[in-house]
Amino acid sequence: MMGEPKNRRRGDELLESLFASAFKLINEQGHTNLSFKQLAAAAGTSRTVLYRRWPTILNLLQDVYIHKAKKLFDGSFFDELQDTGSLRNDLIELLSLYQRIQLEIGIDIINNYYHIRLQDKEHDKRPAAHDLAREKHLQAVRRILDRAEARGEPIRNISQLTLMLPYDLIRIENLVRPGNLDNDRIENLVDEVLLPAFVSKE
């Protein structure tokens, strides 16, 4: 009986190859045209291996999102946030960072993830990467607002719902206006939405 090809990957090495291949193919042709046949060929494995783990391409793409999001939020991405000297510029820097994260993960992959999350009516299948991203965001915004308050900028008493606003804005913008979030748009979001929400007029 013939064995498997010598270059056949297994375990973590196979997963890394699959996720990298999926990301490359999505960037080249979009997720709607992605097939298990293409992915198996690109990753050096068989379609049987893929079907064993993921019933559909959508399920695989959710795992691609979780894999990339966990790597980013476990890493040092948020260490890039510096004290710019003003709340406005700190928020611009934060939104710009979030947009880089969106592009690093892939807009198609993220939007597919939201599509699958909408099907979880009981909210009992939320991956750990989701909670990790949320907690990292809350920590970052609290640090930014604490710095602003220490500088003497008048900050409102803000609920957790409002603290989520910067993160939610970037997600919604990429969902409804993919490809249109430039620096001018980010500045407008800060000036017209975030600063009025965070800064007290008193």
Side-chain angles (χ1 to χ4, degrees):
M1 182 175 177
M2 293 181 64
E4 292 183 340
K6 290 183 179 180
N7 64 348
R8 181 67 56 87
R9 298 180 175 94
R10 297 179 183 278
D12 291 343
E13 183 187 0
L14 174 59
L15 279 179
E16 286 285 349
S17 177
L18 283 168
F19 292 149
S21 298
F23 190 66
K24 182 174 183 294
L25 289 169
I26 290 165
N27 283 337
E28 291 173 353
Q29 63 188 38
H31 78 276
T32 55
N33 296 317
L34 183 65
S35 71
F36 279 137
K37 182 179 180 180
Q38 292 172 314
L39 185 55
T45 189
S46 68
R47 279 179 284 178
T48 302
V49 170
L50 301 184
Y51 284 121
R52 198 177 297 147
R53 187 178 183 103
W54 298 287
T56 69
I57 283 289
L58 291 181
N59 296 109
L60 181 144
L61 291 178
Q62 176 172 256
D63 279 1
V64 173
Y65 165 83
I66 293 168
H67 174 76
K68 292 188 72 68
K70 188 173 187 301
K71 275 193 165 184
L72 287 170
F73 289 109
D74 269 350
S76 58
F77 237 68
F78 282 88
D79 293 342
E80 297 180 24
L81 294 172
Q82 303 295 320
D83 184 348
T84 67
S86 74
L87 176 60
R88 180 181 187 271
N89 288 334
D90 281 354
L91 290 172
I92 289 172
E93 184 182 45
L94 180 67
L95 293 195
S96 299
L97 173 67
Y98 283 157
Q99 183 60 10
R100 291 203 303 276
I101 290 175
Q102 294 269 322
L103 296 175
E104 176 71 20
I105 295 175
I107 302 300
D108 274 351
I109 291 172
I110 292 173
N111 288 345
N112 169 73
Y113 168 75
Y114 296 152
H115 170 72
I116 292 177
R117 291 292 309 126
L118 285 172
Q119 299 175 44
D120 178 18
K121 303 301 183 184
E122 303 300 321
H123 303 290
D124 60 355
K125 297 184 178 71
R126 187 170 62 200
H130 182 102
D131 293 329
L132 176 63
R134 183 173 178 275
E135 187 54 38
K136 288 277 189 176
H137 163 74
L138 290 172
Q139 290 172 7
V141 176
R142 287 186 183 115
R143 276 199 308 272
I144 287 171
L145 295 178
D146 286 346
R147 287 200 305 249
E149 203 162 25
R151 287 192 296 260
E153 297 184 66
I155 304 301
R156 295 178 185 273
N157 185 15
I158 296 169
S159 68
Q160 187 158 292
L161 178 66
T162 305
L163 287 174
M164 288 300 301
L165 193 53
Y167 191 46
D168 290 340
L169 276 176
I170 290 295
R171 293 192 293 177
I172 291 168
E173 285 286 319
N174 281 289
L175 188 63
V176 301
R177 299 183 187 87
N180 292 322
L181 191 56
D182 57 15
N183 291 336
D184 288 341
R185 180 72 178 175
I186 286 176
E187 289 185 9
N188 288 338
L189 290 173
V190 169
D191 291 337
E192 298 178 22
V193 181
L194 296 183
L195 287 178
F198 291 151
V199 178
S200 173
K201 293 182 179 180
E202 296 179 1

